[in-house]
Amino acid sequence: MPLLVTPALPAGTLAAQEQPDLPVRPGLALRPWRDDDAPVVQAAFGCPAIQRWHVLRLDDEAEARAWTAQWTGRWRAEAAVSFAIVDGDDRPVGQTGLREVLLTEGSAQISYWLLPDARGRGIATAALETLTRWSFTQAGLYRLELNHSTANAASCRVATRGGFAVEGVARQSMRHADGWHDMHQHARLRTDGAICSAGLRPADETRGQIG
């Protein structure tokens, strides 16, 4: 059946280009995942906070390698993209990316997590802002959504500092190990204006766990 509206983005918008490396700030960047990142990924998903909010664990390095390997195919399918957040020595300290990419609607869902040692330094917000800027200016998306449990206060602070306004609460919409959780829905539009973290205080990322 033909669509009655023109798709926001044509098929091939992402697949026609290579996933880029993105500078965030001195000593911090986003890059595609590599096979040799698997030990760090395995350690990350051994963190109780990451397990809690992402409802996933990796039991061995083979599973971690499968996790890192999946992103090339998902990029080519224009379904999702994941970036390793890396420090000045090119070591992963976290992840941020897009899930549920819909080119027809020009939309996607934001995801992020940080290793415990990386928290409390403004890294999550800086990475989120870089991903958001790339998503709007280079990928051509129009709307980004960011959803998290209402119990995840640190993630809420990062979303707010990154310019993602709270649009509402989806009641009992995601199941975690301890039961159903209400979810905050944040969103940012390409038309919302400049992305700026001038008001970010790194301590805002220490009062909870970023999932």
Side-chain angles (χ1 to χ4, degrees), residues 78-136:
E78 302 183 304
V81 56
S82 181
F83 289 92
I85 306 170
V86 296
D87 64 15
D89 295 319
D90 200 36
R91 295 175 301 193
V93 298
Q95 182 277 153
T96 189
L98 305 177
R99 309 292 184 266
E100 300 182 26
V101 176
L102 297 174
L103 295 182
T104 299
E105 303 296 336
S107 66
Q109 298 268 353
I110 294 280
S111 168
Y112 51 79
W113 50 256
L114 289 181
L115 290 165
D117 290 347
R119 297 169 189 159
R121 290 184 275 155
I123 290 174
T125 302
L128 173 62
E129 291 172 346
T130 298
L131 176 66
T132 300
R133 189 176 296 109
W134 171 82
S135 298
F136 288 151

Side-chain angles (χ1 to χ4, degrees), residues 35-49:
D35 187 63
D36 60 357
D37 294 327
V40 175
V41 172
Q42 183 182 355
F45 280 96
C47 169

Side-chain angles (χ1 to χ4, degrees), residues 15-32:
Q17 57 183 300
E18 294 295 322
Q19 183 178 345
D21 295 336
L22 301 174
V24 176
R25 67 189 190 197
L28 200 66
L30 307 183
R31 65 157 171 79

Side-chain angles (χ1 to χ4, degrees), residues 13 41 50 63 71 79 107 110 123 142 155 194 201 208:
T13 296
V41 172
I50 292 176
E63 290 186 350
W71 299 111
S107 66
I110 294 280
I123 290 174
Y142 181 76
S155 189
R201 295 169 297 171

